Amino acid sequence: MIIPKTKEEIELMRESALVVSRTLGMLAKEVKPGITTNKLNKMAEEYIRAQDALPGFLGLYDCPSTLLTSVNEAVVHGLPTDVPLREGDIVAIDCGSIKNGFYGDHAYTFAVGEISPELEKLLQITKESLYIGIREFKAGNRVGDVGYAIQNYCEAEGYGVVRELVGHGLGRKMHEDPEMPNYGRRGRGKKFIEGMTVAIEPMINLGTHRVKQLNDGWTIVTLDGKASAHFEHDVALVNGKPELLSTFDYIYEALGIKSDEEKEFRAD
C-alpha cells in the first residue's frame, strides 16, 4: 500500500535526506587513493550522529555498517573493508539516516583519482538516467513510465540495467510501496499519487545486466566482472511534479563542480 505524506511530513523527510546529502558531501573530500572504505564508514557514522540523527542502515536487516560501499564491479550492498581504494577505481557510496522518525537514503558513485574515459561515461550516463527517470515521476504516470525511461536511455548506450535490485517507496520505513524498477513498460504498474515519496536509483552495468551475490551475504557484483554505477535521490510528488528531497550540491561544492542539474526539481 502506498503511503502518501502530508506537506509537514515531506519537510521532515527533507531534513532526513539532507543529513545524508551533507554526509556524502563530507565524504567527497575524503575519497582518494589510499583511504579505506572502513575509514569512510567510521567518519560517516560519527558525522550522522553529530547531526542529531541515526545511521539508517546500521542494524537494518542486520546490516553491520553505516555505509554500503561498492567498488568497481560491485553493484550495491558492498560492505566496508580495510582494502585501500586505488587510483582509477570507482566507488558507489550508499548512505541512510533516520531523523524525525523518517528515513533518508541516497547514493553517489565517486571517481577515485583519475578514471578511464570508459568509466567516466558510465558514471555520466547513469546519473543522467536518474534525472530522466525522475522527470517521469509525475501526476498521471505509473511506475513503468520511470523504469522504461531509465532502461531505454541506458540500453541505447549499450549498458546493462540490473533487474534484481530496484528503487522503492520511502518514509517511516526504509522500504515502502511501491517498488521502483529501473526497467519496465510505459503505462504499467502502480499509479503515482500526490504526496508519494520514493527513492529512485539506477544501477547500471558496463556489460551484462546479470549479477550475483558474494559469500558475505551482502555484496552484489556484476556477473562478468565489469564495473557498475549507482546514483540515488529521494523524491516527493508535490503539486503533481517531482521535487527533490536530497541533493548532490554538497558533493559538488566539495569537488568544485558547477551544476544546475537539480534546478527543475527544486521547490519553488
Side-chain angles (χ1 to χ4, degrees), residues 46-235:
E46 292 173 353
Y47 192 78
I48 289 169
R49 293 186 188 279
Q51 297 180 77
D52 287 330
L54 296 173
F57 295 169
L58 186 62
L60 182 70
Y61 311 126
D62 294 324
C63 180
S65 57
T66 292
L67 298 179
L68 294 171
T69 52
S70 304
V71 181
N72 296 333
E73 73 276 11
V75 181
V76 287
H77 301 170
L79 297 179
T81 73
D82 287 322
V83 177
L85 294 175
R86 300 174 300 176
E87 183 86 15
D89 285 344
I90 58 173
V91 55
I93 299 182
D94 197 356
C95 182
S97 71
I98 309 170
K99 189 168 185 176
N100 308 311
F102 289 96
Y103 279 90
D105 169 29
H106 64 110
Y108 191 91
T109 301
F110 294 91
V112 183
E114 295 292 325
I115 62 174
S116 69
E118 184 180 48
L119 291 180
E120 286 276 12
K121 184 180 178 184
L122 174 65
L123 268 56
Q124 174 190 338
I125 296 298
T126 304
K127 183 152 65 70
E128 287 174 357
S129 78
L130 170 62
Y131 294 109
I132 286 169
I134 290 171
R135 288 190 189 100
E136 298 299 317
F137 182 60
K138 58 187 178 182
N141 275 8
R142 295 178 180 270
V143 166
D145 295 301
V146 171
Y148 173 85
I150 293 170
Q151 179 183 14
N152 187 60
Y153 187 69
C154 293
E155 289 185 345
E157 296 290 340
Y159 296 139
V161 179
V162 175
R163 307 295 201 271
E164 290 85 350
L165 302 143
V166 299
H168 50 91
L170 186 71
R172 292 189 182 277
K173 295 182 179 180
M174 174 65 76
H175 297 105
E176 296 185 351
D177 281 341
E179 290 191 341
M180 297 288 294
N182 298 304
Y183 60 93
R185 298 176 63 183
R186 288 200 178 279
R188 298 294 181 91
K190 293 185 177 180
K191 193 171 185 178
F192 300 139
I193 60 176
E194 184 73 10
M196 279 183 69
T197 49
V198 299
I200 297 175
E201 49 177 320
M203 291 157 271
I204 309 300
N205 299 345
L206 192 58
T208 180
H209 68 82
R210 298 179 67 192
V211 300
K212 63 180 181 180
Q213 188 175 57
L214 297 185
N215 292 334
D216 63 11
W218 282 90
T219 309
I220 306 294
V221 300
T222 60
L223 196 61
D224 58 10
K226 293 184 178 180
S228 182
H230 175 214
F231 291 87
E232 178 180 15
H233 266 313
D234 300 341
V235 194

Side-chain angles (χ1 to χ4, degrees), residues 236-268:
L237 190 62
V238 179
N239 298 324
K241 299 184 295 184
E243 184 176 305
L244 285 183
L245 304 179
S246 54
T247 181
F248 294 151
D249 280 356
Y250 295 102
I251 295 171
Y252 295 154
E253 182 180 356
L255 299 179
I257 297 172
K258 293 184 178 180
S259 173
D260 61 357
E261 67 191 18
E262 297 179 2
K263 184 177 180 181
E264 65 182 285
F265 307 112
R266 288 183 172 144
D268 296 332

